[in-house]
Amino acid sequence: MSYTLEGATGTWEVVIGLEVHAQVTSNAKLFSGAATEFGAEPNSQVSFVDAGFPGMLPVINGECVAQAVRTGLGLNAQINLWSRFDRKNYFYADLPQGYQISQFEFPIIGTGEIEIQLADGSVKNIGITRLHLEQDAGKSLHDQHPTKSYIDLNRSGVALMEIVSEPDLRSPEEAGAYLTKLRQILRYLGTCDGNMEQGSLRADVNVSVRKAGEGFRTRCEVKNVNSIRFVMQAVEAEARRQIEVWEAGEEVVQETRLFDTSRGVTRSMRSKEDAHDYRYFPDPDLPPLVLDAAWVEQLKAGLPELPDARRARYVGDYGLTPYDAHVLTLEKETAAFYESVAEGRDPKMAANWLTGDFFAGLNRTGHSIGDSPVSAAHLGELLDLIKDNTLSGKLAKEVLEAMFETGKAPSVLVEERGLKQVTDTGAIEAIIDEVMAKNADKVAEYRSGKDKLFGFFVGQTMKAMQGKGNPTLVNDLLKQKLA
Ligand code: ADP
Ligand code: MG
């Protein structure tokens, strides 16, 4: 089922390609040793290189190169053993060098592919055109002083990967799924933290529209969209705008636009006519970047298991549904947590508890898996207490709630609160006898054929036992005694 939009002249398709800027996870910048920590005092992480002092020479940070190669490998992409840095020249107050060191003609990573998962269960492959390394610029602060703008150069020189997709995406959903999957892969690899609120990951969204069977029409680029939801909204808003332009008999002009998140519309930022001429040329301060094939192989051997492989393993080895496997592998912290709970236990039972009451508990208490008050070891212990009949499913839910509130081990809570399930048949029989004695009329009705009353007896017995009777035993013994 394909996504289309209806206009006055008929049905339109949408074509989307994303250019994603991902900040490389690294302690130091791309060409200097300055720190990259988020939220530091303005201008406290700036070397002479980052400040553009004359005569300073850039020196490539090997770890940033390794991160780009790992990312390329994770995107099933061509690793270019020979690549080159170019100067992209433009003037801006937060760019002290007067140029950005980037890669233009010869990027470090060539074509690759990402498989995206869609809500209807289908999958689609999206082509990656390239990935290149470049420096980030500084930041202008316009809201600190009534008449002055301040400049913070902490970000100046931080390593970015620009990851460009082919125009293979056809709907807001596909664009969202692509960005979600890309972020997931980057996080699994540990090459970018994917934090869109902090700007570690931002997307330029290229959109065009066309009638079925046509070639591509002119696109516009919506710059710097900083959440997956906004990317999806920007695609639709921009596509609708372009349809109106075409249908009014005008032409869409190629330009850069911004998405106004409060009004849900895009507006023009600059047109093709005032587009920069960047006068790219090879950076004379840097030799070409030449990689050793054996080093690339070594990085490949050191890659962690990626989401697709992990999901397949959960379905194949653990027997989980594709949906549960998908949910449990979305974040690698969740997957690691799950595996440690499932280790040596029933993997399906572990998956059910995790995706059910455990996730609900995290939500309720406002925690994420990283700072969960319930550890994997404690959740595993809880499952063991269910397995060995110490706790019924219902009591276990109560214990889990208490675990979220107190952070205590389930065995401790069972002890403290006297929640242990009663499996002593003698004790259960004694309660059943009491219940039957108190409700002699109902016993007679039951025996004369009113089967529905069985539930009443289960309820009364459980109530008398404060919910602690083993449900199977209570049922079996009641059946025997009422017969
Ligand atoms: P430029 O270098 O001018 O930015 P590119 O060819 O690199 O142009 O394309 C940039 C992005 O625009 C890519 O993600 C690409 O997939 C996307 N794109 C190209 N043509 C179209 C189109 N007609 N409609 C939508 N997206 C497009
Ligand atoms: Mg571009």
Side-chain angles (χ1 to χ4, degrees):
M1 203 187 58
S2 61
Y3 172 88
T4 53
L5 291 173
E6 289 305 315
T9 62
T11 301
W12 294 84
E13 289 177 6
V14 183
V15 177
I16 309 140
L18 295 190
E19 297 168 274
V20 172
H21 284 96
Q23 182 176 328
V24 175
T25 299
S26 156
N27 293 330
K29 296 184 181 179
L30 185 53
F31 298 109
S32 88
T36 58
E37 208 180 306
F38 180 81
E41 269 294 290
N43 297 308
S44 63
Q45 301 179 154
V46 187
S47 76
F48 289 126
V49 174
D50 311 320
F53 268 48
M56 294 298 115
L57 286 177
V59 178
I60 186 86
N61 176 345
E63 178 56 15
C64 294
V65 176
Q67 292 288 56
V69 171
R70 288 185 189 105
T71 306
L73 292 167
L75 301 177
N76 302 307
Q78 169 75 34
I79 310 299
N80 295 325
L81 298 181
W82 193 97
S83 67
R84 190 179 76 194
F85 286 100
D86 300 296
R87 287 188 183 176
K88 179 180 182 177
N89 300 280
Y90 65 95
F91 175 78
Y92 204 77
D94 61 19
L95 188 76
Q97 289 172 141
Y99 59 84
Q100 176 191 30
I101 306 179
S102 181
Q103 296 189 302
F104 185 54
E105 267 175 281
F106 302 100
I108 183 169
I109 308 293
T111 57
E113 199 168 65
I114 288 187
E115 184 189 273
I116 59 169
Q117 278 73 38
L118 300 168
D120 66 1
S122 64
V123 298
K124 181 174 173 181
N125 285 330
I126 305 302
I128 302 291
T129 314
R130 59 187 271 154
L131 175 158
H132 68 253
L133 277 169
E134 64 185 26
Q135 300 176 299
D136 205 347
K139 195 175 169 190
S140 304
L141 308 169
H142 302 296
D143 54 0
Q144 308 285 308
H145 190 279
T147 56
K148 292 176 183 163
S149 282
Y150 291 153
I151 304 287
D152 176 7
L153 293 180
N154 280 352
R155 238 171 46 187
S156 169
V158 163
L160 299 178
M161 298 181 279
E162 178 169 336
I163 304 163
V164 182
S165 87
E166 290 291 305
D168 288 345
L169 301 159
R170 293 289 176 273
S171 66
E173 188 203 355
E174 289 185 10
Y178 170 81
L179 199 51
T180 303
K181 186 62 177 284
L182 177 59
R183 184 176 63 174
Q184 184 191 27
I185 293 170
L186 295 170
R187 284 181 169 166
Y188 264 67
L189 289 166
T191 57
C192 168
D193 66 25
N195 195 329
M196 297 191 79
E197 299 85 64
Q198 294 180 0
S200 311
L201 193 71
R202 38 195 204 263
D204 298 343
V205 186
N206 295 272
V207 180
S208 65
V209 295
R210 65 176 178 185
K211 292 283 178 69
E214 281 184 0
F216 292 151
R217 294 199 187 195
T218 306
R219 72 187 151 95
C220 289
E221 180 181 15
V222 187
K223 270 267 177 234
N224 267 328
V225 186
N226 65 359
S227 89
I228 292 174
R229 194 163 52 90
F230 289 154
V231 165
M232 297 170 69
Q233 290 173 1
V235 166
E236 179 162 350
E238 176 57 15
R240 287 193 189 280
R241 183 193 71 85
Q242 289 181 16
I243 291 170
E244 278 183 27
V245 171
W246 289 120
E247 292 193 333
E250 290 158 25
E251 298 244 320
V252 168
V253 285
Q254 190 174 334
E255 62 181 352
T256 303
R257 302 180 67 87
L258 286 177
F259 183 55
D260 180 335
T261 54
S262 57
R263 290 173 52 225
V265 297
T266 67
R267 55 189 162 77
S268 185
M269 184 177 145
R270 57 170 183 257
S271 67
K272 186 78 180 173
E273 286 78 65
D274 35 73
H276 304 281
D277 173 4
Y278 292 120
R279 294 168 293 126
Y280 279 102
F281 63 87
D283 192 307
D285 290 339
L286 289 160
L289 184 59
V290 181
L291 309 181
D292 180 8
W295 181 69
V296 173
E297 279 311 308
Q298 214 178 306
L299 291 173
K300 190 172 185 175
L303 287 188
E305 183 183 34
L306 291 174
D308 289 340
R310 205 160 198 171
R311 216 177 49 245
R313 184 160 62 79
Y314 283 15
V315 173
D317 294 1
Y318 291 154
L320 302 192
T321 62
Y323 180 77
D324 279 353
H326 172 73
V327 170
L328 291 172
T329 53
L330 274 175
E331 308 267 350
K332 81 175 168 188
E333 292 73 19
T334 310
F337 192 100
Y338 167 67
E339 285 178 31
S340 109
V341 176
E343 172 80 45
R345 302 193 176 90
D346 175 353
K348 281 189 160 180
M349 181 185 181
N352 289 340
W353 275 87
L354 224 76
T355 57
D357 290 90
F358 176 75
F359 281 172
L362 284 182
N363 260 338
R364 194 181 56 243
T365 56
H367 284 96
S368 67
I369 197 113
D371 63 3
S372 168
V374 176
S375 67
H378 283 172
L379 186 59
E381 222 181 272
L382 183 72
L383 301 197
D384 293 340
L385 293 174
I386 301 170
K387 260 274 158 5
D388 73 10
N389 277 327
T390 306
L391 288 176
S392 64
K394 186 163 170 287
L395 280 182
K397 281 173 195 272
E398 269 179 57
V399 172
L400 184 58
E401 273 187 29
M403 287 161 71
F404 271 107
E405 267 125 48
T406 63
K408 289 182 181 171
S411 52
V412 172
L413 288 164
V414 166
E415 199 63 42
E416 276 180 9
R417 304 186 179 198
L419 288 174
K420 212 164 147 46
Q421 176 171 244
V422 179
T423 51
D424 171 356
T425 49
I428 298 174
E429 278 177 310
I431 303 275
I432 290 177
D433 290 340
E434 272 173 42
V435 169
M436 286 172 66
K438 244 189 265 170
N439 298 285
D441 50 336
K442 294 240 169 44
V443 174
E445 280 180 56
Y446 177 81
R447 287 186 173 144
S448 67
K450 210 166 167 196
D451 290 350
K452 274 196 298 192
L453 279 172
F454 189 72
F456 165 79
F457 289 109
V458 173
Q460 290 299 306
T461 308
M462 278 301 203
K463 194 171 159 199
M465 301 187 73
Q466 290 147 325
K468 285 181 272 180
N470 174 292
T472 316
L473 285 177
V474 168
N475 267 278
D476 290 351
L477 294 171
L478 264 173
K479 268 195 194 120
Q480 284 172 27
K481 290 203 170 262
L482 284 168

